[in-house]
Structure formats: C-alpha cells, structure tokens
Coordinates of all heavy atoms in Angstrom, one line a residue:
E1 N 9.6 -40.4 11.6 CA 9.9 -41.7 11.0 C 9.2 -42.9 11.7 O 9.3 -43.0 12.9 CB 11.4 -42.0 11.0 CG 11.8 -43.3 10.4 CD 13.3 -43.7 10.7 OE1 14.0 -42.9 11.3 OE2 13.7 -44.7 10.2
Y2 N 8.5 -43.7 10.9 CA 7.9 -44.9 11.4 C 8.6 -46.1 10.6 O 9.3 -45.9 9.6 CB 6.4 -45.0 11.2 CG 5.7 -44.0 12.1 CD1 5.5 -42.7 11.7 CD2 5.2 -44.4 13.3 CE1 4.9 -41.8 12.6 CE2 4.5 -43.5 14.2 CZ 4.4 -42.2 13.8 OH 3.7 -41.3 14.6
T3 N 8.3 -47.3 11.0 CA 8.9 -48.4 10.4 C 8.6 -48.6 8.9 O 9.3 -49.1 8.1 CB 8.6 -49.7 11.1 OG1 7.2 -49.9 11.1 CG2 9.1 -49.7 12.5
D4 N 7.4 -48.1 8.5 CA 6.9 -48.3 7.1 C 6.5 -47.0 6.4 O 6.1 -47.1 5.3 CB 5.7 -49.2 7.2 CG 4.5 -48.6 8.0 OD1 4.8 -47.7 8.8 OD2 3.4 -49.1 7.8
K5 N 6.7 -45.8 7.0 CA 6.3 -44.6 6.4 C 6.9 -43.4 7.1 O 7.4 -43.5 8.2 CB 4.8 -44.5 6.4 CG 4.1 -44.6 7.8 CD 2.6 -44.8 7.7 CE 2.0 -45.0 9.1 NZ 0.5 -45.2 9.0
F6 N 6.7 -42.2 6.5 CA 7.1 -40.9 7.1 C 6.0 -39.9 7.1 O 5.2 -39.9 6.2 CB 8.3 -40.4 6.3 CG 9.6 -41.1 6.4 CD1 9.9 -42.1 5.4 CD2 10.5 -40.9 7.4 CE1 11.1 -42.8 5.4 CE2 11.7 -41.7 7.4 CZ 12.0 -42.6 6.5
L7 N 6.0 -39.1 8.1 CA 5.1 -37.9 8.2 C 6.0 -36.7 8.3 O 6.9 -36.6 9.0 CB 4.3 -38.1 9.5 CG 3.6 -36.8 10.0 CD1 2.4 -36.4 9.1 CD2 3.0 -37.1 11.4
L8 N 5.6 -35.7 7.5 CA 6.3 -34.4 7.5 C 5.3 -33.4 8.2 O 4.2 -33.2 7.7 CB 6.6 -33.9 6.1 CG 7.6 -32.8 5.9 CD1 9.0 -33.1 6.6 CD2 7.8 -32.5 4.4
L9 N 5.8 -32.8 9.3 CA 4.9 -31.9 10.1 C 4.6 -30.6 9.4 O 3.8 -29.9 10.0 CB 5.5 -31.7 11.5 CG 5.6 -33.0 12.3 CD1 6.1 -32.6 13.8 CD2 4.4 -33.8 12.4
D10 N 5.3 -30.2 8.4 CA 5.0 -29.0 7.7 C 5.4 -29.1 6.2 O 6.2 -29.9 5.9 CB 5.6 -27.8 8.4 CG 4.7 -26.6 8.4 OD1 3.8 -26.5 7.6 OD2 4.8 -25.8 9.3
G11 N 5.0 -28.1 5.4 CA 5.3 -28.1 4.0 C 6.6 -27.6 3.6 O 6.9 -27.6 2.4
C12 N 7.3 -27.0 4.5 CA 8.7 -26.5 4.3 C 8.8 -25.5 3.1 O 7.8 -25.0 2.6 CB 9.6 -27.7 4.0 SG 9.6 -29.0 5.3
C13 N 10.1 -25.2 2.7 CA 10.4 -24.4 1.5 C 10.6 -25.3 0.3 O 11.0 -26.5 0.5 CB 11.7 -23.6 1.8 SG 11.6 -22.2 2.9
R14 N 10.4 -24.7 -0.8 CA 10.7 -25.5 -2.1 C 12.2 -25.9 -2.1 O 12.5 -27.0 -2.5 CB 10.4 -24.6 -3.3 CG 10.7 -25.2 -4.6 CD 10.3 -24.4 -5.7 NE 10.7 -25.0 -7.0 CZ 10.0 -24.9 -8.1 NH1 8.9 -24.1 -8.1 NH2 10.4 -25.5 -9.2
A15 N 13.0 -25.1 -1.5 CA 14.5 -25.4 -1.5 C 14.8 -26.5 -0.6 O 15.9 -27.1 -0.6 CB 15.2 -24.1 -1.1
D16 N 13.9 -27.0 0.3 CA 14.1 -28.1 1.2 C 13.9 -29.4 0.6 O 14.2 -30.5 1.2 CB 13.2 -27.9 2.4 CG 13.6 -26.7 3.3 OD1 14.8 -26.5 3.5 OD2 12.7 -26.0 3.7
I17 N 13.3 -29.5 -0.6 CA 13.0 -30.8 -1.2 C 14.2 -31.7 -1.3 O 14.2 -32.9 -0.9 CB 12.3 -30.7 -2.6 CG1 10.9 -30.0 -2.3 CG2 12.1 -32.0 -3.3 CD1 10.2 -29.6 -3.6
P18 N 15.4 -31.3 -1.9 CA 16.5 -32.2 -2.0 C 17.1 -32.5 -0.6 O 17.6 -33.6 -0.4 CB 17.5 -31.4 -2.8 CG 17.1 -30.0 -2.7 CD 15.6 -30.0 -2.6
V19 N 16.9 -31.6 0.4 CA 17.4 -31.9 1.8 C 16.6 -33.1 2.3 O 17.1 -34.0 2.9 CB 17.3 -30.7 2.6 CG1 17.6 -31.0 4.1 CG2 18.1 -29.6 2.1
I20 N 15.3 -33.0 2.2 CA 14.4 -34.1 2.7 C 14.7 -35.4 2.0 O 14.8 -36.5 2.6 CB 12.9 -33.7 2.5 CG1 12.6 -32.4 3.3 CG2 12.0 -34.8 2.9 CD1 11.3 -31.8 3.0
Q21 N 14.8 -35.4 0.7 CA 15.1 -36.6 -0.1 C 16.4 -37.2 0.3 O 16.5 -38.4 0.5 CB 15.1 -36.3 -1.6 CG 15.3 -37.5 -2.5 CD 15.1 -37.3 -4.0 OE1 14.9 -36.1 -4.4 NE2 15.2 -38.3 -4.7
Q22 N 17.5 -36.4 0.4 CA 18.8 -36.9 0.7 C 18.8 -37.5 2.1 O 19.4 -38.5 2.4 CB 19.8 -35.8 0.6 CG 20.1 -35.5 -0.9 CD 21.0 -34.2 -1.0 OE1 21.7 -33.8 -0.1 NE2 20.9 -33.6 -2.2
F23 N 18.1 -36.9 3.0 CA 18.0 -37.4 4.4 C 17.4 -38.7 4.5 O 17.9 -39.7 5.1 CB 17.3 -36.4 5.3 CG 17.4 -36.8 6.8 CD1 18.5 -36.4 7.6 CD2 16.4 -37.5 7.4 CE1 18.6 -36.8 8.9 CE2 16.5 -37.9 8.7 CZ 17.6 -37.5 9.5
I24 N 16.2 -38.9 3.8 CA 15.5 -40.1 3.8 C 16.3 -41.2 3.1 O 16.5 -42.4 3.6 CB 14.1 -40.0 3.1 CG1 13.2 -39.1 4.0 CG2 13.5 -41.4 2.8 CD1 11.9 -38.8 3.4
E25 N 16.9 -40.9 1.9 CA 17.6 -41.9 1.1 C 19.0 -42.2 1.6 O 19.4 -43.4 1.7 CB 17.6 -41.5 -0.3 CG 16.2 -41.5 -1.0 CD 16.2 -41.1 -2.4 OE1 17.3 -40.5 -2.9 OE2 15.2 -41.3 -3.1
L26 N 19.8 -41.2 1.9 CA 21.2 -41.4 2.3 C 21.4 -41.6 3.8 O 22.1 -42.5 4.2 CB 22.0 -40.2 1.8 CG 21.9 -39.9 0.3 CD1 22.8 -38.7 -0.1 CD2 22.3 -41.2 -0.5
Q27 N 20.7 -40.8 4.6 CA 21.0 -40.9 6.0 C 20.2 -42.1 6.6 O 20.7 -42.8 7.5 CB 20.5 -39.6 6.7 CG 21.2 -38.3 6.4 CD 22.5 -38.1 7.3 OE1 23.0 -39.1 7.8 NE2 22.9 -36.9 7.4
L28 N 19.0 -42.3 6.2 CA 18.2 -43.4 6.7 C 18.1 -44.6 5.9 O 17.7 -45.7 6.4 CB 16.7 -42.9 7.0 CG 16.6 -41.6 7.9 CD1 15.1 -41.2 8.0 CD2 17.2 -41.9 9.2
G29 N 18.6 -44.5 4.6 CA 18.6 -45.7 3.8 C 17.2 -46.2 3.4 O 17.0 -47.4 3.2
R30 N 16.3 -45.3 3.3 CA 14.9 -45.6 3.1 C 14.5 -45.0 1.7 O 15.2 -44.3 1.1 CB 13.9 -45.0 4.1 CG 14.2 -45.5 5.6 CD 13.6 -46.8 5.9 NE 12.1 -46.7 5.9 CZ 11.4 -46.3 6.9 NH1 12.0 -46.0 8.1 NH2 10.1 -46.2 6.8
K31 N 13.3 -45.3 1.2 CA 12.8 -44.9 0.0 C 12.1 -43.5 0.1 O 11.3 -43.3 1.1 CB 11.8 -45.9 -0.7 CG 12.5 -47.2 -1.1 CD 11.4 -48.1 -1.6 CE 12.1 -49.5 -2.0 NZ 11.1 -50.4 -2.5
F32 N 12.3 -42.6 -0.8 CA 11.7 -41.3 -0.8 C 10.1 -41.5 -0.9 O 9.4 -40.7 -0.3 CB 12.2 -40.5 -1.9 CG 11.9 -39.0 -1.8 CD1 11.7 -38.3 -0.6 CD2 11.8 -38.2 -3.0 CE1 11.5 -37.0 -0.6 CE2 11.5 -36.9 -2.9 CZ 11.4 -36.2 -1.7
S33 N 9.7 -42.5 -1.6 CA 8.3 -42.8 -1.8 C 7.6 -43.2 -0.5 O 6.4 -43.3 -0.5 CB 8.1 -43.8 -2.9 OG 8.7 -45.0 -2.5
E34 N 8.3 -43.4 0.6 CA 7.7 -43.8 1.9 C 7.2 -42.6 2.6 O 6.5 -42.7 3.6 CB 8.7 -44.5 2.7 CG 9.1 -45.9 2.2 CD 10.1 -46.6 3.2 OE1 9.7 -47.1 4.2 OE2 11.3 -46.7 2.8
L35 N 7.4 -41.4 2.1 CA 6.8 -40.2 2.6 C 5.3 -40.3 2.3 O 4.9 -40.3 1.2 CB 7.4 -38.9 2.0 CG 6.8 -37.6 2.5 CD1 7.1 -37.4 4.0 CD2 7.4 -36.4 1.7
A36 N 4.5 -40.4 3.4 CA 3.1 -40.7 3.3 C 2.2 -39.5 3.4 O 1.2 -39.4 2.7 CB 2.7 -41.8 4.3
L37 N 2.6 -38.6 4.3 CA 1.7 -37.4 4.5 C 2.5 -36.2 4.8 O 3.5 -36.3 5.6 CB 0.8 -37.8 5.7 CG -0.3 -36.7 6.1 CD1 -1.3 -36.5 5.0 CD2 -0.9 -37.0 7.4
V38 N 2.1 -35.1 4.2 CA 2.6 -33.8 4.5 C 1.5 -32.9 5.0 O 0.5 -32.8 4.4 CB 3.3 -33.1 3.3 CG1 3.7 -31.7 3.6 CG2 4.4 -34.0 2.7
V39 N 1.7 -32.3 6.2 CA 0.7 -31.4 6.8 C 1.2 -30.0 6.5 O 2.3 -29.7 6.8 CB 0.5 -31.6 8.3 CG1 -0.6 -30.6 8.8 CG2 0.1 -33.0 8.6
V40 N 0.3 -29.2 5.9 CA 0.6 -27.8 5.6 C -0.1 -27.0 6.7 O -1.3 -26.9 6.8 CB 0.1 -27.4 4.2 CG1 0.3 -25.8 4.1 CG2 0.9 -28.1 3.1
T41 N 0.7 -26.4 7.6 CA 0.2 -25.7 8.8 C -0.4 -24.3 8.4 O -1.3 -23.8 9.0 CB 1.2 -25.5 9.9 OG1 2.3 -24.7 9.4 CG2 1.7 -26.8 10.4
H42 N 0.1 -23.7 7.3 CA -0.4 -22.5 6.7 C 0.3 -22.3 5.4 O 1.3 -23.0 5.1 CB -0.3 -21.3 7.7 CG 1.0 -20.9 8.1 ND1 1.8 -21.7 9.0 CD2 1.8 -19.8 7.9 CE1 3.0 -21.1 9.2 NE2 3.0 -20.0 8.6

C-alpha cells in the first residue's frame, strides 16, 4: 500500500479476487481501481 496506489507482489489465485477487493475497499477504505501493478512471478 502506498498513499496513491497499490502493488500486488504476485498474481494469486482466481479465488483471491474478492478477498483482495474486500480488503482494499472495506479494510482500507480505498478504491479497487487504485491497484496499479500486479507482478506475476510465474
């Protein structure tokens, strides 16, 4: 988490998408669209 954007260090599982969205929106009170970069390690 940065003040204006988010970085995801890996591409996760498809099942993790709602977990990531809920964490950003509900836990942090931020916009899901602030996710700026996803790195896929493999």
Side-chain angles (χ1 to χ4, degrees):
E1 178 188 2
Y2 290 86
T3 56
D4 59 340
K5 56 190 174 182
F6 292 95
L7 164 68
L8 193 59
L9 295 188
D10 220 336
C12 306
C13 286
R14 179 176 179 148
D16 292 317
I17 293 171
V19 174
I20 297 166
Q21 182 174 6
Q22 289 170 22
F23 188 84
I24 290 174
E25 293 181 344
L26 301 182
Q27 296 273 24
L28 301 179
R30 301 276 296 272
K31 295 179 181 178
F32 196 29
S33 59
E34 291 182 75
L35 181 62
L37 182 67
V38 176
V39 182
V40 172
T41 63
H42 60 290

